[in-house]
Amino acid sequence: MEQSRGHKRKISFADLEATFRRAGPIQHGQPQAQAQQAQPAMSAQQMEQVRLEQTRRADLARRQSRKPTDREVPDEVADVIVGDGVDRYKKLRDGERRLDAVMMRKRLDISDNLQRQYTRREGILRVWVSNTADGQPWQVAEDGGVGFGEDGTFDFGENSQATFRVKIEGRLLPDSTCEKDSTEEEKAEDKTRRPRLSHFFKSITIDFDRNPALQPDGYSSIEWRKPMPGSQNYDPNGSEVSFDTLEFERKSDENINVTINLVRDVKTERFKLSPLLAEILDTEEEDRAGAVQGIWEYCRAMGLQEDEDRRSIVCDEPLRKLFQKDSVYFPHVPDLLFQHLQALPPIQLSYTIRVDPAYINGSTSSPSSPPSAPTIYDIHVPLPNPVIADLTKFHTSRAHITDLQTLIRTDDDLALLVQKIHQTNAKRKFYDNLSKDPASFVKRWFSSQMRDQDVIFAESTRGGGEDAPGDMFRRGGKEGLWDTRQAHESVGLWLARNAKAA
């Protein structure tokens, strides 16, 4: 609309087109023009590729829809075939179905074990903590340096270098059963790939039970943190990631109490179980999936599944105390277990750093008190799945692809043979009925052919055939043909199609 002197004048589309033609094309530079010329060619090529892909998929779907899939021999064929071939074939089919069910169940078990990094197998990680001392006052006095004065007091001095060195060493104790059955080569290989102390923890923190202001260097804690995968300093075989011994040195001339905090390194978060849940699963720590799987295995072992699909569970006394219910629907178990899973605290080891002569030098008269005798701690740690490597190799192996392809081709050939059996049986019934009553059979056959011809040429007016009684189409009421469900659906579809066309 254009407004001039208070009057409005309509502008037609032809006027706008003429105006743009006089203005000429808009120029945006040569590179953009070339890009605009190249873009339609690329789009056309992509459209052609999409069209070819759609055609290929349509052809593949058409071939698959036409491919026979029925491999069951009809029962009526068994009466006319000489011998027990059909019975033996049915027994083979039953065996195949049972074998398929077993293979599918085993495959699901393998997939479930692959998803779980840890199993219900635990090992003992033994940790030795000890310390040595250097430059202590009593050591300096023994060496003839600055030590105790004449009055029995210690003269520390300004340049004293009294230090202690703490050593934390951990090793996974070998399984006696596995060591007994394994060969020397397997033992040597296990030593190279055995889990190390740092593999079980993502951080180790030593907290000192003393005011940092009273320490010579003002420290309050020491921390080691494992580098994250993908970081610049991450090396899976380096000393920062893979080690069995952790040592540090600090200044002090007094005994100090420390707490060693070990934070577990696990792929999936593990929880501390409540006493009720720990009693059922026979473990104190577990991840969420392991807890649900443990309840499932417990219910299956105790026979607590009541319905056919085995989802409803009848609680026994331990489960009744755990869930506070008489019956539980198994999909609700993860939510019910939430309150029984608590955050797992770090492992804490209490240790006293001793710098006195009795500990550092030990007792010469007692062999059980060697110098700097270590304090030993045993920690239960979850062990990796021992068959994870073999299961992964089996699960990802392609050696069976050829066998599967052979089975698929055999199934296709078997379906074709069964289809030929159906066709041959249809011919047999045709000639058998023809031989029994030729006149009536030919009459029924011609009537059927005429009915099919009328349907093909859309000349069928009654919906039935020549042999169908006409009274049933003229009868009304609830007992008539027109009050059936099929008639209502057909009329509804016809009306909907006509409304859509209109």
Side-chain angles (χ1 to χ4, degrees), residues 29-267:
Q30 185 176 1
Q32 188 172 358
Q34 293 178 357
Q36 290 179 355
Q37 292 178 1
Q39 185 175 359
M42 185 179 299
S43 299
Q45 184 178 3
Q46 292 178 354
M47 291 177 62
E48 182 66 20
Q49 292 179 356
V50 171
R51 188 185 64 82
L52 293 177
E53 181 67 19
Q54 291 178 351
T55 304
R56 187 186 66 82
R57 291 182 179 180
D59 294 341
L60 180 61
R62 192 181 302 109
R63 290 196 300 268
Q64 290 180 351
S65 62
R66 294 178 180 177
K67 185 171 64 175
T69 57
D70 186 15
R71 293 187 293 274
E72 297 293 338
V73 177
D75 296 334
E76 58 185 6
V77 177
D79 300 334
V80 296
I81 293 180
V82 179
D84 57 346
V86 177
D87 295 335
R88 289 188 295 171
Y89 177 77
K90 290 182 177 180
K91 291 180 181 180
L92 287 176
R93 291 285 296 164
D94 293 338
E96 181 185 8
R97 279 190 288 268
R98 290 194 298 268
L99 181 60
D100 289 341
V102 172
M103 292 176 63
M104 181 58 66
R105 186 170 64 253
K106 293 298 182 181
R107 189 173 185 85
L108 292 176
D109 292 342
I110 291 174
S111 300
D112 180 68
N113 290 329
L114 285 175
Q115 293 176 0
R116 298 186 60 185
Q117 182 186 8
Y118 295 96
T119 60
R120 298 184 182 277
R121 177 170 166 261
E122 291 185 346
I124 298 177
L125 179 66
R126 179 158 294 178
V127 179
W128 295 268
V129 183
S130 61
N131 70 274
T132 57
D134 188 20
Q136 298 296 324
W138 58 270
Q139 291 176 328
V140 175
E142 290 178 356
D143 295 339
V146 179
F148 292 95
E150 296 179 356
D151 56 353
T153 61
F154 171 68
D155 184 12
F156 190 79
E158 297 180 355
N159 299 323
S160 175
Q161 298 294 327
T163 61
F164 62 83
R165 187 175 186 85
V166 178
K167 179 180 179 181
I168 303 174
E169 183 179 3
R171 291 181 182 275
L172 186 67
L173 297 183
D175 189 355
S176 59
T177 304
C178 297
E179 289 289 331
K180 182 179 180 181
D181 297 337
S182 58
T183 61
E184 294 297 333
E185 296 180 356
E186 292 176 349
K187 291 180 182 179
E189 185 179 357
D190 291 340
K191 290 182 179 180
T192 58
R193 64 179 184 181
R194 65 176 176 82
R196 299 185 178 274
L197 172 66
S198 59
H199 295 171
F200 294 99
F201 309 104
K202 60 182 177 182
S203 67
I204 301 176
T205 306
I206 297 93
D207 294 329
F208 293 85
D209 188 15
R210 191 176 184 182
N211 190 349
L214 301 178
Q215 299 293 338
D217 47 6
Y219 58 84
S220 61
S221 64
I222 299 174
E223 182 181 15
W224 166 83
R225 189 173 294 275
K226 183 185 297 183
M228 297 297 294
S231 61
Q232 184 177 1
N233 299 329
Y234 181 76
D235 183 8
N237 299 322
S239 59
E240 288 291 331
V241 179
S242 180
F243 59 84
D244 287 324
T245 304
L246 180 65
E247 298 184 60
F248 63 91
E249 184 176 2
R250 288 294 184 271
K251 293 181 179 181
S252 181
D253 62 337
E254 297 178 346
N255 296 343
I256 303 176
N257 295 326
V258 298
T259 302
I260 305 173
N261 301 299
L262 306 174
V263 181
R264 300 170 179 83
D265 185 12
V266 292
K267 299 296 182 181

Side-chain angles (χ1 to χ4, degrees), residues 435-489:
S435 63
K436 292 180 179 178
D437 191 358
S440 301
F441 179 80
V442 171
K443 182 179 179 180
R444 290 194 304 271
W445 181 56
F446 272 106
S447 176
S448 175
Q449 297 296 319
M450 291 176 63
R451 184 172 62 253
D452 295 342
Q453 182 178 0
D454 292 340
V455 171
I456 293 174
F457 290 102
E459 295 178 356
S460 179
T461 57
R462 298 190 303 177
E466 294 298 331
D467 54 346
D471 295 339
M472 63 183 299
F473 294 98
R474 293 190 294 269
R475 186 185 305 120
K478 295 184 178 181
E479 297 180 355
L481 179 65
W482 303 107
D483 196 43
T484 59
R485 179 181 178 182
Q486 291 80 0
H488 285 282
E489 292 180 355

Side-chain angles (χ1 to χ4, degrees), residues 338-361:
F338 183 78
Q339 60 182 345
H340 297 279
L341 304 177
Q342 303 174 1
L344 196 62
I347 300 173
Q348 294 184 341
L349 307 179
S350 299
Y351 178 72
T352 300
I353 301 176
R354 297 178 58 182
V355 296
D356 55 282
Y359 173 77
I360 298 300
N361 295 331

Side-chain angles (χ1 to χ4, degrees), residues 366-391:
S366 176
S368 60
S369 299
S372 299
T375 304
I376 301 176
Y377 306 87
D378 286 342
I379 303 173
H380 291 270
V381 293
L383 296 181
N385 194 338
V387 295
I388 192 71
D390 297 333
L391 290 178

